[in-house]
Amino acid sequence: MVQKILKLRLFDQDEKKWHCNVMDMSYEILSISQFTLCYKLKGNKLDFHMAMPGNLALQNYQYFLETLRANYNPSKIKDGAFGEMMEVEIVNDGPVTVQLEFPNPEKCFDGKSDKLDEVDKL
């Protein structure tokens, strides 16, 4: 995911559309954990049983941030407070939203293990 985020060509330069990535443009990255995206809708109720437990999610998120900082300018990586209510003010420049998903997330967390070893193997 780190390489995809850093190398995805989302930005225009001069007349070239979708030509540059975040590193080419020297942009900052704001990373905010979004556990609420890991739900299933059961009738009119949200079900979070497939979400990773908080302690493991925090470890996974910290590992993600460390890897992101190791592969890009650490001063360009901003993050939110894990598990906290936050108000985030951004300027969204463009009509595009890109949703990136980790391939085969069920391989990373089986609901029983408290280890993140499987993440490193993918």
Side-chain angles (χ1 to χ4, degrees), residues 51-62:
M52 187 179 284
N55 62 329
L56 293 178
L58 176 58
Q59 289 176 29
N60 194 21
Y61 183 59
Q62 288 172 334

Side-chain angles (χ1 to χ4, degrees), residues 16-32:
K16 297 177 183 177
K17 299 283 186 187
W18 308 98
H19 183 71
C20 297
N21 60 43
V22 70
M23 295 186 302
D24 295 331
M25 303 300 285
S26 247
Y27 285 162
E28 291 183 335
I29 296 172
L30 175 59
S31 177
I32 299 174

Side-chain angles (χ1 to χ4, degrees), residues 15 29 36 49 60 63 82-84 91 97 111 113 121-122:
E15 298 297 316
I29 296 172
T36 55
H49 81 276
N60 194 21
Y63 176 74
F82 184 88
E84 299 293 326
V91 175
T97 299
S113 172
K121 293 178 187 173
L122 294 176

Side-chain angles (χ1 to χ4, degrees), residues 3 6 9 11 13 19 23 27 30 32 34 36 42 48 52-53 55 66 73 85 89-90 105 115 122:
Q3 291 305 312
L6 294 176
R9 292 183 294 172
F11 308 103
Q13 187 177 50
H19 183 71
M23 295 186 302
Y27 285 162
L30 175 59
I32 299 174
Q34 239 338 346
T36 55
K42 288 190 174 180
F48 295 100
M52 187 179 284
N55 62 329
E66 289 169 13
N73 180 344
M85 294 291 291
E89 191 171 321
I90 65 168
K115 306 224 183 303
L122 294 176

Side-chain angles (χ1 to χ4, degrees), residues 58-109:
L58 176 58
Q59 289 176 29
N60 194 21
Y61 183 59
Q62 288 172 334
Y63 176 74
F64 168 77
L65 289 173
E66 289 169 13
T67 306
L68 195 57
R69 288 182 175 117
N71 285 274
Y72 189 45
N73 180 344
S75 69
K76 299 275 187 185
I77 309 301
K78 311 299 181 192
D79 64 287
F82 184 88
E84 299 293 326
M85 294 291 291
M86 292 177 286
E87 284 188 29
V88 178
E89 191 171 321
I90 65 168
V91 175
N92 190 5
D93 183 17
V96 176
T97 299
V98 178
Q99 181 174 334
L100 302 176
E101 293 186 12
F102 194 83
N104 302 318
E106 63 277 0
K107 288 184 179 179
C108 297
F109 177 68

